[in-house]
Amino acid sequence: MSDNTLWFEGIRFPMVGFSPELLREVRDKFLVKDEDTITVTYPKSGTNWLIEIVCLILSKGDPKWVQSVPIWDRSPWIETQHGNELMKSQKDPRIYTSHLPLHLFPKSFFSSKAKVIYCIRNPRDVLVSGYYFTSKMKIAEKPETLQQYMKWFLQGNVIYGSWFEHVRDWLSMREKENFLVLSYEELIKDTRSIVEKICQFLGKKLKPEEIDLVLKYSSFKFMKENEMSNYSLLPNDLTTEGFTFLRKGVVGDWKHHFTVAQAEEFDKIYQEKMAGYPPKLFPWEEC
Ligand code: A3P
């Protein structure tokens, strides 16, 4: 992999929109407030779906906001130059997003009551989703094959570093009251229950018909058609022909991509890296 990405503390970041100075400032100086709601994920785990749900919960299902403001402005990524700039004018209570690993997350969070929703996804599906995303975006080295991307992924040599370390480190927070762990698989299986769980976590009481609207406007179909959420507003110089952000939106797509040998190679490393973690934390282990 040629080095056209930014390195910070052993983690790869895209060259565009990031800087070591900002990453350092976010970790050391960004002030997390008790009223903040933060969506945190490893990339390709359902981040944007979750943001859409949170926005719609806050607007009680009214789609005006999600249909008029780009998703990256509604819940800015604090570690990006664009998102960090926007944060300066965000009014309380704030909502924002991050893919940062735990050790690079703002230190002030750890003494705050800010609410974090952390969404995990089967890393095999994360890998496939990341492979297509990286192949069509001009933000990082393009993999030539899935095999090559798998090698990078298993080494943690991809944007935002190792999935295994991200998930292990963030899950160490799972007993905290202000930390909610969700999974993409649960969201797919029973979206309504998970939306209700998020409402409860955020202290928002929605009527059943308002929940219906949250479900409707955050569905794959509606998000795919909503240009504020489907990434069609990204500048052309960042994407290549055939880029589709809302690609498939299903569980288990990896089964159509991994060979038997690749699945075995992945399993071996997964077992080593996730040893000691109760399988019940990971819904995909039951699929
Ligand atoms: P696929 O590439 O497998 O389709 P992130 O937002 O973290 O980058 O994750 C992107 C993944 O979430 C993509 O997965 C995308 O299709 C999926 N996704 C986005 N919105 C969704 C929705 N409303 N329902 C189901 N999946 C969704």
Side-chain angles (χ1 to χ4, degrees):
M1 197 188 223
S2 72
D3 224 352
N4 74 344
T5 43
L6 166 75
W7 283 97
F8 182 73
E9 308 251 338
I11 307 275
R12 266 181 199 276
F13 289 92
M15 212 45 144
V16 182
F18 293 76
S19 75
E21 296 73 30
L22 181 59
L23 290 166
R24 197 169 297 116
E25 188 189 307
V26 166
R27 182 191 56 194
D28 297 337
K29 303 217 177 98
F30 184 89
L31 197 62
V32 172
K33 301 181 190 173
D34 287 345
E35 315 75 45
D36 293 348
T37 297
I38 318 165
T39 296
V40 181
T41 58
Y42 186 85
K44 313 320 290 175
S45 302
T47 327
N48 288 273
W49 189 9
L50 191 53
I51 296 172
E52 202 80 337
I53 290 172
V54 169
C55 291
L56 285 160
I57 289 174
L58 296 181
S59 68
K60 294 190 181 273
D62 183 339
K64 262 197 241 73
W65 190 29
V66 302
Q67 289 177 350
S68 57
V69 181
I71 195 158
W72 50 75
D73 289 356
R74 278 182 264 130
S75 184
W77 270 255
I78 50 169
E79 65 268 25
T80 66
Q81 282 155 342
H82 176 82
N84 198 270
E85 202 47 45
L86 274 179
M87 287 308 298
K88 294 177 185 152
S89 54
Q90 253 221 0
K91 296 198 181 72
D92 295 333
R94 307 181 301 178
I95 64 163
Y96 48 92
T97 307
S98 180
H99 289 314
L100 287 171
L102 188 72
H103 69 287
L104 296 182
F105 201 67
K107 289 178 181 162
S108 59
F109 164 67
F110 301 96
S111 54
S112 82
K113 296 193 182 103
K115 291 179 178 165
V116 161
I117 309 177
Y118 186 66
C119 187
I120 53 177
R121 185 183 190 187
N122 187 335
R124 298 162 186 86
D125 284 332
V126 169
L127 189 159
V128 171
S129 182
Y131 167 67
Y132 282 103
F133 184 76
T134 319
S135 304
K136 299 287 179 195
M137 288 281 290
K138 293 185 194 157
I139 56 161
E141 184 76 5
K142 277 190 206 325
E144 276 166 25
T145 58
L146 183 76
Q147 178 67 35
Q148 186 178 43
Y149 190 75
M150 182 178 285
K151 186 173 160 218
W152 297 345
F153 187 91
L154 292 173
Q155 291 170 339
N157 209 359
V158 285
I159 298 298
Y160 285 100
S162 160
W163 178 91
F164 303 97
E165 281 164 32
H166 202 283
V167 169
R168 287 188 70 114
D169 288 352
W170 272 107
L171 286 186
S172 69
M173 303 287 295
R174 66 188 185 278
E175 304 296 342
K176 303 240 183 274
E177 252 179 41
N178 59 338
F179 193 77
L180 176 68
V181 183
L182 302 176
S183 70
Y184 183 89
E185 288 72 18
E186 292 169 304
L187 259 170
I188 288 277
K189 195 169 164 194
D190 190 354
T191 321
R192 185 174 205 102
S193 300
I194 302 298
V195 167
E196 286 168 354
K197 201 172 182 178
I198 300 172
C199 287
Q200 201 179 15
F201 179 66
L202 299 181
K204 302 284 169 201
K205 285 202 173 74
L206 264 62
K207 298 185 190 122
E209 55 275 23
E210 291 168 340
I211 302 261
D212 290 343
L213 294 172
V214 173
L215 295 175
K216 174 175 169 185
Y217 292 113
S218 65
S219 66
F220 189 82
K221 178 177 171 289
F222 267 83
M223 280 187 70
K224 201 170 168 69
E225 282 164 9
N226 179 3
E227 64 171 17
M228 297 295 153
S229 311
N230 65 13
Y231 279 67
S232 59
L233 297 180
L234 273 184
N236 284 342
D237 57 350
L238 285 183
T239 57
T240 59
E241 191 66 28
F243 170 76
T244 317
F245 185 76
L246 281 103
R247 196 184 56 90
K248 280 202 176 165
V250 297
V251 166
D253 190 37
W254 68 272
K255 292 176 190 159
H256 305 296
H257 290 81
F258 285 20
T259 62
V260 173
Q262 285 170 336
E264 283 172 7
E265 182 193 351
F266 192 99
D267 281 354
K268 188 167 166 285
I269 303 214
Y270 180 92
Q271 298 306 335
E272 280 166 24
K273 301 252 192 201
M274 300 314 276
Y277 267 68
K280 70 174 173 36
L281 280 177
F282 306 119
W284 53 84
E285 299 212 349
E286 291 156 17
C287 299

